[in-house]
Amino acid sequence: MTDFTNMPKRNKSYAGANGSKISVLYNGELYMLKFPAVSIRNTDMSYSNSCISEYLGCKIFESIGIPVQETELGIYTTKSGKEKVVVACKDFTASGLIIQDFASLKNQIVDSERNGYGTELSDILETFEQQTAIDSEILSERFWDMFIVDALIGNWDRHNGNWGFLYNGATDEMSLAPVFDCGSSLFPQADEKIIQRILSNKGELNHRIYNIPLSAIKQNGEKINYFDFISSLENKDCNKALNRIHEKIDIEKINSIVDKTPFITDSHKDFLKTLLTARKEKILDYSLKRLRA
């Protein structure tokens, strides 16, 4: 367990609405410390488990082989004496690269009047084809690979502002940024009471597989239901990603990651392992079986 309290602070600041963030030097490298956000949906919790979700979501992406931000859990004691669980996220722009989100790329399509942060699927797919900064096939594959993994971890907030690219000002080149910002996955506002209710009630578990969370991406103005969309097999690129990603998902490896995660109870670990196994089986396994039938 790492205590980040007295590590050298830097003046670099970070945007985003989900919890406070500061910059520190850790092992000689720049990291962003994310603090737990106030729990809005569950008022019985003072703070959400967003730092745990950030850490685990990134570790799951890593286990599947998708480039992702490096994360580590630790503690930080505030000036008021409160000890908080924080997640340290390695700053992949420390070398001078500039992070540019997908929304900024979408805004480059000057013939379009659509908002860069608009998440209508058809607009996103059209941007892949119209933009010229990065190979459209590479861009499409990253989007759909993220979509499949986000379906596994139940990410409800993968919008156009939290994935994107690294811009090299010296060469005017763009490359895909590692995946980042996974704090809205794995039900970060589920407390022990909710966890026990889900673990003891099959209907409650199924509700969190088939009905919630929804994707931030929309189709015809409605947020996409992961199960409905993936199992429909209507999108060929999504089907390809399902094939690509499914074979890389090692649920035993993921369970081991959960078991080794500090700061959470055994029942919370059981909940996460149950949820991930069920979402894999009932969304991804089911859809792949239909695809290969």
Side-chain angles (χ1 to χ4, degrees):
M1 181 179 66
T2 303
D3 187 342
F4 292 98
T5 308
N6 296 313
M7 292 187 179
K9 310 294 190 302
R10 307 298 289 175
N11 289 325
K12 185 171 184 179
S13 59
Y14 301 96
N18 193 17
S20 300
K21 306 171 183 71
I22 63 172
S23 179
V24 300
L25 284 177
Y26 172 47
N27 290 337
E29 296 186 283
L30 195 64
Y31 276 75
M32 171 180 61
L33 283 191
K34 279 189 171 184
F35 290 74
V38 174
S39 181
I40 298 174
R41 288 180 171 83
N42 182 359
T43 55
D44 290 336
M45 298 175 73
S46 297
Y47 294 96
S48 74
N49 291 312
S50 57
C51 291
I52 302 294
S53 295
E54 183 77 52
Y55 169 80
L56 274 174
C58 288
K59 291 299 181 185
I60 290 170
F61 267 99
E62 182 182 37
S63 76
I64 293 170
I66 296 175
V68 66
Q69 188 171 41
E70 295 180 30
T71 56
E72 182 175 333
L73 287 172
I75 58 171
Y76 186 96
T77 303
T78 66
K79 290 182 179 179
S80 63
K82 292 183 179 180
E83 185 178 279
K84 296 186 177 184
V85 174
V86 296
V87 59
C89 306
K90 189 173 181 179
D91 189 332
F92 46 73
T93 67
S95 63
L97 297 174
I98 300 170
I99 182 70
Q100 294 188 181
D101 59 25
F102 179 72
S104 64
L105 183 68
K106 200 163 177 273
N107 281 336
Q108 289 183 4
I109 311 302
V110 295
D111 290 330
S112 173
E113 297 180 358
R114 299 180 180 94
N115 187 308
Y117 287 97
T119 55
E120 186 67 30
L121 179 61
S122 59
D123 294 346
I124 291 171
L125 300 184
E126 185 177 343
T127 299
F128 293 168
E129 298 303 320
Q130 292 187 7
Q131 61 80 38
T132 57
I134 196 165
D135 184 275
S136 61
E137 185 174 346
I138 292 174
L139 189 54
S140 176
E141 284 191 4
R142 171 58 63 84
F143 173 81
W144 288 114
D145 286 353
M146 282 194 308
F147 186 85
I148 295 297
V149 181
D150 282 339
L152 174 66
I153 64 177
N155 190 347
W156 53 267
D157 198 35
R158 182 73 65 198
H159 53 73
N160 295 347
N162 61 13
W163 74 283
F165 320 91
L166 295 175
Y167 174 69
N168 187 324
T171 64
D172 195 38
E173 293 177 333
M174 295 254 284
S175 59
L176 287 171
V179 173
F180 60 96
D181 205 349
C182 297
S184 297
S185 59
L186 299 168
F187 294 94
Q189 299 194 43
D191 58 15
E192 286 294 318
K193 183 178 178 181
I194 292 173
I195 285 169
Q196 290 303 323
R197 189 171 77 236
I198 295 170
L199 289 175
S200 62
N201 188 314
K202 186 176 181 180
E204 290 278 1
L205 177 62
N206 283 338
H207 177 57
R208 286 159 179 82
I209 296 166
Y210 295 116
N211 302 323
I212 60 172
L214 300 175
S215 169
I217 307 302
K218 295 180 179 180
Q219 190 170 40
N220 301 319
E222 300 290 335
K223 289 186 175 182
I224 288 174
N225 177 296
Y226 281 117
F227 171 78
D228 290 344
F229 186 89
I230 296 173
S231 66
S232 74
L233 309 180
E234 291 179 358
N235 187 285
K236 293 181 180 179
D237 289 326
C238 183
N239 295 343
K240 290 177 182 178
L242 176 62
N243 257 317
R244 233 179 2 252
I245 296 301
H246 187 277
E247 64 182 20
K248 299 177 182 179
I249 298 173
D250 184 339
I251 200 65
E252 293 303 318
K253 186 175 182 179
I254 290 173
N255 285 343
S256 178
I257 293 170
V258 173
D259 281 331
K260 294 175 182 177
T261 300
F263 305 117
I264 56 175
T265 64
D266 287 343
S267 60
H268 196 165
K269 292 176 182 179
D270 288 342
F271 164 68
L272 292 171
K273 291 186 290 184
T274 299
L275 179 75
L276 287 161
T277 299
R279 290 184 71 86
K280 177 182 179 293
E281 290 176 352
K282 296 186 177 185
I283 300 178
L284 303 185
D285 293 1
Y286 171 80
S287 300
L288 187 67
K289 185 177 180 180
R290 290 195 70 230
L291 181 62
R292 294 178 175 177

